[in-house]
Amino acid sequence: MDEENVWIAPKAAVGADARDRPWFGLRALLWGSVFGSAVAGLLMMAMNYRAQGRHGLGKAVAAAALLVVAPALCWGVVYLLIGADSRSPAMQALLVLGGIAAQPLAVLAMLGDSHRRAIGERIRNGAAMRPAAHAALVVAAVWALPLLLALIFTTLLGFVVVG
């Protein structure tokens, strides 16, 4: 409203502050990394950078997650499965648990001290954080592509075998 004329609609702010956008918290990043691998954690970190207004860094982190980390994880899993002794279920379980435990630790290391401090500061100041459901959506999106590819390859293999 205008001070002189109460019948004029209020004017919107010219540009919203990028720091007012919600971020993913540390718990969301870590749980996303446990259930969606380091790729989900890095994608959430990229979304945090975009919320900060650092769009270039957000794009770089997202591209690294999809083009470097995801293929490296796939090859790592294949290598571990081939290298694991099939006669030792305990060793296989240890490899799987070690791989799962390494994901959030890797994301924590990649977050860096400054990003963790910034998240902590936002929480202390009462700034908006994204809900856990958003992290679950990122995890679902990360798992959607491998499941879709597995479905496609299985279907194609079925056509080849059946004729």
Side-chain angles (χ1 to χ4, degrees):
M1 276 186 304
D2 193 6
E3 292 296 326
E4 293 100 26
N5 190 351
V6 293
W7 300 105
I8 295 177
K11 295 179 181 166
V14 175
D17 191 6
R19 292 169 289 195
D20 291 338
R21 289 188 182 146
W23 288 14
F24 286 102
L26 283 177
R27 278 192 200 140
L29 289 162
L30 294 178
W31 281 111
S33 301
V34 168
F35 293 113
S37 78
V39 176
L42 287 173
L43 288 175
M44 287 187 274
M45 187 179 6
M47 289 180 209
N48 279 356
Y49 285 134
R50 287 187 56 82
Q52 291 175 11
R54 300 165 75 184
H55 298 287
L57 184 58
K59 287 178 185 177
V61 170
L66 296 174
L67 300 175
V68 177
V69 175
L73 284 174
C74 291
W75 283 109
V77 167
V78 169
Y79 176 75
L80 285 176
L81 290 176
I82 290 172
D85 187 7
S86 61
R87 295 167 289 171
S88 174
M91 182 58 141
Q92 289 176 337
L94 235 115
L95 285 173
V96 169
L97 288 175
I100 291 171
Q103 301 293 322
L105 295 176
V107 169
L108 252 178
M110 288 184 268
L111 274 173
D113 198 36
S114 64
H115 198 80
R116 284 187 298 231
R117 274 194 240 141
I119 290 173
E121 184 179 323
R122 283 183 63 87
I123 291 171
R124 281 190 299 278
N125 293 337
M129 299 302 280
R130 289 184 186 257
H134 289 188
L137 289 173
V138 173
V139 169
V142 166
W143 279 107
L145 182 62
L147 291 176
L148 180 65
L149 288 174
L151 180 66
I152 290 170
F153 289 137
T154 308
T155 306
L156 290 176
L157 186 62
F159 287 138
V160 170
V161 171
V162 173

